[in-house]
Every structure is written in C-alpha cells, then in structure tokens.
Amino acid sequence: MALMITEECINCDVCEPECPNHAIYLGEATYEIAPDKCTECVGHFDEPQCVQICPVACIPVNPQHVESRETLWQKYQRLTGDTAGAPAGARAE
C-alpha cells in the first residue's frame, strides 16, 4: 500500500525529510507521494514516519495502490538493493 497526501496538507514541510525512500516531493499545490517509491517505511521503520509526524493527519493509504507487506518488502529490496531476509511481519501470511 502506498500512502497519499490529501488536499488537507498545509505544506508544513515536515514529512518530506522523514521519508527514507525520498518518495515525498512538493507537487503543484501540496506535497505528493510517488507510489513507486513508497514502502510505508517497511524495511526502515515499524511505522510510516510521515504519518507519525504529520500535524494534520492528511496521509492515508492510497486506495489506488493497495499492496501487501510482502510486496512492500520486495519494493524496499528493489529500491535499496538489500537482499537480506524480510523482517517479522513483512512476509506474506
């Protein structure tokens, strides 16, 4: 599941530097998340860092990019080149 930033975004600039995959960028009106780079922080952290730090709670799951934790782990491996085993909870159940 990739995340998305809704129009409630106030462009406070706190989410972009927190993204370990550099998936967050400033769009035309608000920040946006590139779904091909968003792993919901799988492989990096237990929780999505942008969601944790957002002061207006405007970062839900993007319903157009629903992915399993296993798929997110595979995306993390592709983006980072990390071929180690998946952490607990990332394997398909």
Side-chain angles (χ1 to χ4, degrees):
M1 298 170 280
L3 301 172
M4 62 184 275
I5 298 175
T6 66
E7 61 189 29
E8 286 82 22
C9 176
I10 59 172
N11 290 330
C12 66
D13 302 319
V14 298
C15 62
E16 187 270 334
E18 295 299 317
C19 181
N21 296 320
H22 308 287
I24 300 174
Y25 61 95
L26 185 57
E28 287 187 34
T30 60
Y31 279 90
E32 298 180 21
I33 298 177
D36 61 323
K37 292 182 177 181
C38 180
T39 63
E40 292 188 40
C41 290
V42 167
H44 296 283
F45 301 101
D46 292 334
E47 299 289 329
Q49 299 301 287
C50 60
V51 173
Q52 296 297 312
I53 200 162
C54 181
V56 293
C58 68
I59 309 176
V61 170
N62 186 334
Q64 295 180 344
H65 295 281
V66 176
E67 300 170 276
S68 68
R69 292 208 42 96
E70 176 64 27
T71 302
L72 292 170
W73 174 252
Q74 291 169 358
K75 189 189 306 185
Y76 162 79
Q77 289 180 308
R78 179 179 49 80
L79 290 169
T80 65
D82 183 351
T83 58
R91 290 186 177 94
E93 297 175 359

